[in-house]
Each structure stands twice: as structure tokens, then as C-alpha cells.
Amino acid sequence: MSLIDVKSFAVGQWVTPDSDARQIFNAVTGEGMARAGNSTLDVEAMLEFGRTKGGPALRAMTFHDRARMLKALAIEIGKHKQALYDISFATGATQSDNLIDIDGGIGTMFVFASKGRRELPDAHVYLDGDVEQLSRNGTFLGQHIATSMQGVAVHINAFNFPVWGMLEKLAPTLLAGVPAIVKPATATCYVTELAVKIMLDSGLLPEGALQLVSGGLGDMLDRLTHQDIVSFTGSAHTALKLRSAPHILENSIRFVAEQDSLNASILGPDAEPGTPEFDLFIKEVQREMTTKAGQKCTAIRRIIVPEAQSSAVIEALSARLAKTVIGDPKIEGVRMGALVSQSQKNDVLKTASLIGTEAERVYGDPDNFEVQGADANTGAFVPPMLFHCSNPDQAKIVHENEAFGPVSTIMGYRDLDHAMTLANRGEGSLVASVITRDPEVARSVVLGSGAYHGRLYFNNRDSMKESTGHGSPLPHMVHGGPGRAGGGEEMGGIRGVMHYMQRTAVQGSPDILSAVGRKWVPGATELEAPAHPFTRTFNELQIGETIHTAEREISLEDIETFAHFTGDTFYAHMNAEAAKRNPFFPDRVAHGYLLISFAAGLFVEPNEGPVLANTGLDNLRFMKPVEAGDSIKVRLSVKHKTPRNEEYGEVRWHVTMANQDNDLVAEYELLTMNAYERQT
Ligand code: NDP
């Protein structure tokens, strides 16, 4: 059979493998099926192409432009899902594994697209936090901002998720405005190559935004600058080697690492046999052991259960594992496919034997198991293997060595503190789960174990129907962990975008900060509105456009009317003596909501116009009480504008209310939806 050439995509060209290419084997049959690698790839030219073509083109787009591009890319990959499923079977993956990899990757991209539109501005600068008051009179302020790194992101990915592994890094990178060079693990790079081809053929990406290295990276990492980023997923050994290279250290090159960890799942003390929680625990552990044949960075490696329940857990888990049909993933009914390669199989068997020196194998025999539709020896098959470690305090190997396959070890705990001590012996993991219905158990685990894990997953009968699973990293939530897990973080919503941006503290006058962030800052120049701002369309309104209203006096009758009309007869508005006993009030005072309503009455323009709706009010503060006889007046400024859809966008107005002495009475932000165009 002739080998498929898996190409790289460099400087706008597809490059075929050369004579130094590595051979890739079908995980199920063991036959050679493809080759990848080209030792003459011009890696310097690739970096330059990304930096000079892809970077500027992406940075010219706003966050919203990039988010729209991500959505279109996700739709495009979705159209070609079947082709991706078809070639993925050769990696040993079943159709449910494919759904995690391919549909999971597409879903991740959709989430970043949607978060980009909702949580990032339609602009180029990200504002991180609020304006900091650095001076008494407010003429010198501070604001943290983030801008796109001006280099290239090099993504080095693991073999287990050739599509999701690429997209979970690519989506935040592109959203940040940074071009990527993707280097998938060679063993499964033919799947990534197809996904890259789909994206490039769509024409949605600017030139230079995405390049691909199938095979080795050559000396690319030695050519990076401090504007480049490396994001790595794989073994701790490779991570250490790459991140400690002198060039990476000397140039402070960002290196995000996500590596193997010994994730634990704890059966809560309350989850006894016969409870829904016990059954749920068995189900989750079995699923984590067998999905992707256990080749998941988040898989449960250590099963921590009350000592008294060890036998019951072994029995129930063994019974469930016995139902796992192993074989050619294309065959109907097969639940677990092959490991990715013979070398991974050897590795898993070697580590399982090592674990066997500290723990007894209680389920699964690698020398005797059934495989449907394939040869157990030529294909990279292993059975699920369950170990029981009766002395987890003395043991070392079970806490330190990960068999990257369907291999887990049960260990008993005496009490919750002991369970946490055992979970923490992994010295840093991506995820730990606890199956419990006791909120106090959950709180204790958060306090005692949170610092050791990147994610804590609690599940019980109340959440199990909608829960996403111990092993599923979600685009909304942080994926990564301390210590052995690599110390990195990915995703976590917009947090993940920030890995590809530089945070800068900007200091200056209100006008400077307003211009930098495209957001009006109190104290900045007020633009005189040429007409009432409510008569002006979204497109016409300028940041900083301001009106000052006339004054209105508040009478005792206003307060009484409002109180009886709304039913808010709180004593501070109704009873002078009681109000005076309150340290906040000098006398009966106007309701805060009365003031807000009168403010609207002062600034509103009542006729039909571009303002479509009042959609909310943020950060409301009342600073000074208003008594009968006081007056109020309002200042209304356009603070920020965000397009929302084809017809209208959100205008955020900064509102201050002052009394007759110019003392600040209240401050808030008003949100309206304004039409882009005037309706005629
Ligand atoms: P590796 O660490 O060997 O490879 C991970 C990635 O790094 C691959 O893309 C690999 O490319 C690349 N790589 C390796 N050496 C270099 C180098 N010198 N310069 C640049 N890139 C390099 O992991 P494996 O994929 O071989 O898996 C081995 C073990 O890693 C597993 O058994 C498991 O324990 C762990 N692992 C952890 C994962 C996780 O998500 N936490 C996922 C997968 C594996 P290439 O394939 O071309 O060598």
C-alpha cells in the first residue's frame, strides 16, 4: 500500500514530505499508512511570514471581526465533519471519541466566537479592569490594557486530540489577533492536516494567519523572539526539555505547558452503595478509563474511595468494565478502540507493570482479552486495567507515574483529610472530581485541595443529568493545572485570549485614556452635542458627547406621592424623627429610585427616534441624600458604543446627578439600544 503524504503548509504553499519523513502507522491494523516531515522546511521564512503578513492582517481586524471569522470557520469545519470522522478511525478512535475531538473542537470555536462578540469590545484594545484614580483631582489616571502580541504563536500539540487540541489553542490565538503555526503530534497529524486544509480552503483566514508543520519543527524554537508564544501539550519530559532551552529562557519567551497529570476522583463519604452518587461514580470512572482508550490528559488515574467501600467499588467497576467491547472502532458496538501506536502500547504496558509493583491488578489482563474485528497484537490494543493499592500512604509509583491508557488505581481513604492528602500526592493535576451531595464535603475539598488542581468537578444526583463529565475541559473554564500538570492555563473564556496579548499599565490624563480605550473617562473633554443625543443615531453619536439638563427641585409632596404610589414607605422617607436617628440622613430624604426616575425625566427626549430601548443600568451609587427643597440636575455623556447586530448597537452612557451645590448625588451607567440609521 502506498503511503499518504501528509503535507506542511508553509509561506502560503503546501510542502510534501522529503526523504527524512517519519512513517505513521494505522493504530488498528498496525500497517504503515502515511509519512510526514520535511527537513528542508524554511522555518525562519515561516516565522517571518506569520509576523509580517498574518499578524498585521489580524491586528487590523477588531475583536468582533475576528470573532465572526471564528464562527464562520467553525461552520466550515462542521460542513466537512464526515471526512474528519472517516480518517480519524485510523487513530484508534471510536465514533464517540470522534465526537469529543471533532464536534468538541468545533463547539469550542463557537464558544470563543460568541464570547468574543459578547465580552470583548468591537475594537483593538482590551481594557482590563477599571480606571485607577492616581491623583487627587483626577487629572492623572491609570488603566490596564492589553494589545495583541506582535509575533507568532507556535502550538505544539499532543496526538490524542488532533482536531480539538488544535482548535482549543487556535480560537483564543486568532481572537487575540495573533497568527499561529500549528505543529500536531506526528502520529495523528493526517487528521489535523485535513482540518487545516478545510480552514485554509474556506478563504476565511487572512494570508499568514495559519501555517502547519507536519513532522519536526527543526530549529524553529531557537528562532523565536519575546513577541512569540509557545503553547505546548504533551509529556512532562518534552515540556521540560523545550521550556528550559537557553534561547527560550534568555528571551523570556512565553511558554504555556499542559502535560500529563495523575488526576483523581474521590467517592464522597456520603456516597454509599445504593445511592445515586455511588452509581454515578462508577459510571464516571468507567467512562474516563475507556474514552479514547484512556489517552486523555484529564482521565481518572487514581480512584480514591472510603476504605470500607473498596471492595464494593472494585466489584461494581469490574462489572461495568466487563461490558466494554474492544476492537476496530469502525465496527458497530465497539466501545473502546486502540491506543495510537505500538510504541504507546509498549509504554502503557511498561508503566502498568511498574504500577503492578505497588498495587494488585484486580481487573483486565493484557495477555488475555478479546478484540473484535482486529488483531490484538498487530493493532495497538490493551484492555482496561484496574489496580488496587492497599497501602497508598507508602506507595510512590501510583502517585507519580501515568500510564497513558485505560489504566487506573483504586486506593482507600480513612477520612476526608486523608482523601485530600492522597489526591494532593499527585503534586498538581488538571482536574480532581468529588462525587458527593454534601456541600460541606465540597467546601472542605476546595479549601484543602483547590491549590493542587486546575479544576474541581463536583457531581451528584442533582446535577448529573446536565453535568459535562470529569474529563471534559470546557472553553468557558480554565484547563491546565499546577506542578506536574505543567503550571499552564488554557481557555477559561477570555482569560485564554490573554495568553496571546500583552498587558500594559497605561497612565495619563483623562483625554489620553479616553482616546486609548475608545471609552470616555470622567474628566475628559466633553463634546457639545449638536442636538439632543437621543435624536442621534448610533453612528452619529460621538464618544464624549454630553448634555447637561436643567435643575428640578424635589418637594415633600414629590416624596409623599412617590412613597404612596410605589408602596415604598420606608421610615427614612416618611418619618423625620426616625430619619434623624439614622446616621446617614439629616431629615426625611427622597427615594433613590425617585431621583433616578426624575433624572430620566430630565434627560429624556420623548419623541420617537433612534433610541429603541433602555436595557439596564450598571454601577449605581448614591453618594449624598436629597431632602425636600434640594434640586437635582444631570450630566449625560456617551461613554462607549458596542454594535450588537445588523440594526442596532448598545450605547453606554455615563450619568452623574448633582445637587444645587454641585455635590455629587448619584452616579451610574445607563444602557440603551440605538438604531444605526434613522428610521424614516
Ligand atoms: P511528546 O511530549 O513526545 O510529544 C508532544 C508534542 O511535542 C508532539 O507534537 C511532538 O511531536 C512534540 N515534540 C516532541 N519533541 C519535540 C521537540 N524536540 N521539539 C519540538 N516538538 C517536539 O508526547 P507524546 O505525544 O509522544 O506522548 C507521550 C506521553 O505524553 C504520553 O504517554 C502521555 O503520558 C503524555 N501526553 C500527555 C497529554 C496531555 O494532554 N497532557 C497528551 C498526550 C500525551 P512529534 O509527535 O512529532 O514527536
Side-chain angles (χ1 to χ4, degrees):
M1 199 175 108
S2 66
L3 299 180
I4 301 164
D5 277 345
V6 188
K7 300 186 179 108
S8 296
F9 186 75
V11 198
Q13 303 289 331
W14 286 100
V15 182
T16 41
D18 66 6
S19 53
D20 289 332
R22 255 170 62 188
Q23 195 169 350
I24 300 167
F25 297 90
N26 183 310
V28 180
T29 63
E31 287 164 5
M33 60 170 284
R35 56 183 204 127
N38 189 312
S39 55
T40 61
L41 262 192
D42 189 346
V43 292
E44 181 64 39
M46 288 182 81
L47 290 168
E48 266 318 286
F49 192 62
R51 290 177 192 135
T52 56
K53 290 271 183 209
L58 287 167
R59 292 199 297 277
M61 299 163 77
T62 65
F63 287 112
H64 286 203
D65 294 335
R66 296 176 211 139
R68 276 188 287 269
M69 178 181 76
L70 288 185
K71 185 174 175 188
L73 285 170
I75 292 171
E76 196 61 27
I77 303 171
K79 288 186 199 153
H80 297 84
K81 269 195 312 200
Q82 192 57 48
L84 288 164
Y85 297 153
D86 290 345
I87 59 164
S88 290
F89 289 118
T91 69
T94 62
Q95 181 57 12
S96 20
D97 296 336
N98 287 339
L99 293 180
I100 299 174
D101 186 35
I102 296 156
D103 294 67
I106 295 169
T108 298
M109 221 152 177
F110 274 125
V111 171
F112 274 101
S114 140
K115 283 191 164 287
R117 291 289 303 283
R118 279 187 289 110
E119 297 174 32
L120 294 174
D122 189 27
H124 302 90
V125 175
Y126 174 74
L127 302 183
D128 178 3
D130 294 331
V131 169
E132 299 287 342
Q133 294 292 332
L134 304 178
S135 59
R136 187 185 289 264
N137 297 319
T139 60
F140 186 68
L141 306 169
Q143 167 81 62
H144 290 99
I145 59 127
T147 51
S148 314
M149 299 282 282
Q150 296 190 13
V152 171
V154 179
H155 295 165
I156 303 175
N157 295 333
F159 63 78
N160 50 352
F161 290 109
V163 177
W164 176 84
M166 166 173 64
L167 298 183
E168 61 107 5
K169 289 187 170 85
L170 192 59
T173 302
L174 293 176
L175 194 50
V178 175
I181 296 177
V182 174
K183 186 252 172 290
T186 303
T188 56
C189 65
Y190 48 94
V191 184
T192 312
E193 183 211 32
L194 177 57
V196 167
K197 190 163 185 316
I198 292 165
M199 287 191 277
L200 291 172
D201 286 353
S202 74
L204 292 162
L205 283 161
E207 191 180 35
L210 175 62
Q211 299 181 80
L212 172 74
V213 176
S214 301
L217 274 181
D219 63 354
M220 187 184 284
L221 299 188
D222 292 333
R223 296 167 180 271
L224 300 183
T225 76
H226 67 279
Q227 287 298 309
D228 301 315
I229 309 106
V230 182
S231 182
F232 172 87
T233 303
S235 65
H237 172 78
T238 310
L240 178 65
K241 186 167 112 187
L242 300 184
R243 81 195 316 178
S244 58
H247 182 78
I248 298 282
L249 296 176
E250 274 163 17
N251 293 281
S252 308
I253 293 165
R254 274 192 209 176
F255 195 102
V256 182
E258 197 256 285
Q259 59 201 41
D260 27 326
S261 69
L262 284 129
N263 311 296
S265 186
I266 300 174
L267 178 66
D270 54 312
E272 292 178 352
T275 61
E277 281 72 28
F278 185 87
D279 297 342
L280 172 64
F281 182 78
I282 300 297
K283 209 165 134 188
E284 288 247 13
V285 173
Q286 182 262 350
R287 189 174 59 197
E288 288 304 319
M289 284 181 71
T290 55
T291 302
K292 214 53 211 182
Q295 301 168 109
K296 250 169 65 180
C297 49
T298 49
I300 296 168
R301 305 296 178 202
R302 296 172 307 137
I303 308 165
I304 303 176
V305 304
E307 265 168 5
Q309 314 298 0
S310 294
S311 309
V313 172
I314 292 171
E315 197 181 317
L317 201 47
S318 301
R320 236 188 127 91
L321 289 171
K323 294 190 188 137
T324 311
V325 179
I326 306 162
D328 180 345
K330 276 201 246 166
I331 295 179
E332 184 88 13
V334 164
R335 292 275 169 271
M336 190 174 99
L339 297 178
V340 74
S341 63
Q342 283 294 340
S343 86
Q344 274 298 309
K345 176 174 167 176
N346 294 338
D347 209 55
V348 166
L349 292 177
K350 210 167 92 195
T351 313
S353 310
L354 195 64
I355 290 171
T357 60
E358 275 184 353
E360 180 195 357
R361 199 176 66 229
V362 290
Y363 181 85
D365 181 353
D367 297 322
N368 184 15
F369 65 103
E370 251 184 62
V371 172
Q372 305 257 317
D375 185 319
N377 293 316
T378 52
F381 294 96
V382 292
M385 283 174 264
L386 185 63
F387 288 83
H388 176 227
C389 178
S390 54
N391 193 348
D393 293 323
Q394 294 298 315
K396 244 172 98 63
I397 291 164
V398 296
H399 300 297
E400 290 176 3
N401 292 273
E402 182 188 38
F404 205 67
V407 182
S408 298
T409 305
I410 292 183
M411 46 195 86
Y413 70 80
R414 294 183 290 278
D415 53 30
L416 194 58
D417 280 344
H418 187 214
M420 289 190 280
T421 303
L422 293 176
N424 296 353
R425 290 272 311 269
E427 295 297 341
S429 82
L430 296 171
V431 51
S433 57
V434 187
I435 306 301
T436 181
R437 207 175 179 222
D438 184 341
E440 286 310 312
V441 167
R443 189 179 142 75
S444 300
V445 172
V446 165
L447 291 172
S449 264
Y452 284 75
H453 309 282
R455 180 161 61 89
L456 285 174
Y457 170 93
F458 297 99
N459 203 1
N460 60 35
R461 71 190 78 173
D462 303 321
S463 48
M464 64 186 185
K465 282 213 176 73
E466 291 194 306
S467 60
T468 46
H470 161 109
S472 296
L474 299 174
H476 322 69
M477 308 300 289
V478 158
H479 177 53
R484 185 167 277 131
E489 259 190 17
E490 294 182 325
M491 302 196 291
I494 299 307
R495 293 172 190 85
V497 178
M498 292 305 129
H499 299 309
Y500 301 95
M501 302 191 80
Q502 175 62 42
R503 184 182 298 125
T504 306
V506 176
Q507 294 166 285
S509 70
D511 276 343
I512 299 280
L513 293 198
S514 292
V516 167
R518 293 273 184 270
K519 200 175 208 175
W520 189 78
V521 170
T525 306
E526 294 176 4
L527 301 180
E528 196 179 329
H532 191 288
F534 281 18
T535 64
R536 289 168 52 73
T537 63
F538 182 91
N539 292 332
E540 288 166 346
L541 284 171
Q542 304 285 311
I543 304 289
E545 208 167 297
T546 299
I547 51 163
H548 291 265
T549 71
E551 277 191 13
R552 170 178 185 144
E553 191 178 319
I554 312 289
S555 67
L556 198 58
E557 199 189 339
D558 290 333
I559 298 175
E560 296 261 340
T561 307
F562 190 82
H564 294 298
F565 181 49
T566 61
D568 181 353
T569 51
F570 186 62
Y571 70 88
H573 313 304
M574 309 307 288
N575 181 333
E577 291 313 308
K580 284 178 187 161
R581 284 195 290 275
N582 181 316
F584 282 89
F585 304 120
D587 206 328
R588 290 175 68 178
V589 293
H591 305 67
Y593 304 121
L594 165 70
L595 300 177
I596 297 298
S597 305
F598 279 166
L602 285 169
F603 62 63
V604 80
E605 150 57 50
N607 295 320
E608 188 176 359
V611 177
L612 305 177
N614 170 352
T615 52
L617 192 155
D618 279 349
N619 305 322
L620 170 62
R621 287 285 175 280
F622 295 113
M623 279 93 163
K624 198 168 176 146
V626 172
E627 297 169 57
D630 285 347
S631 296
I632 58 162
K633 56 189 173 187
V634 182
R635 182 192 52 75
L636 182 78
S637 304
V638 178
K639 178 171 184 179
H640 191 55
K641 300 196 297 177
T642 312
R644 282 288 176 233
N645 64 18
E646 301 302 309
E647 291 163 45
Y648 52 82
E650 182 189 89
V651 179
R652 183 173 284 268
W653 309 81
H654 186 254
V655 187
T656 52
M657 196 188 300
N659 64 16
Q660 64 284 355
D661 301 324
N662 285 328
D663 295 334
L664 206 54
V665 166
E667 184 171 22
Y668 54 98
E669 288 170 11
L670 174 75
L671 303 172
T672 60
M673 287 299 172
N674 286 39
Y676 297 136
E677 306 289 340
R678 204 175 306 284
Q679 267 118 37
T680 46

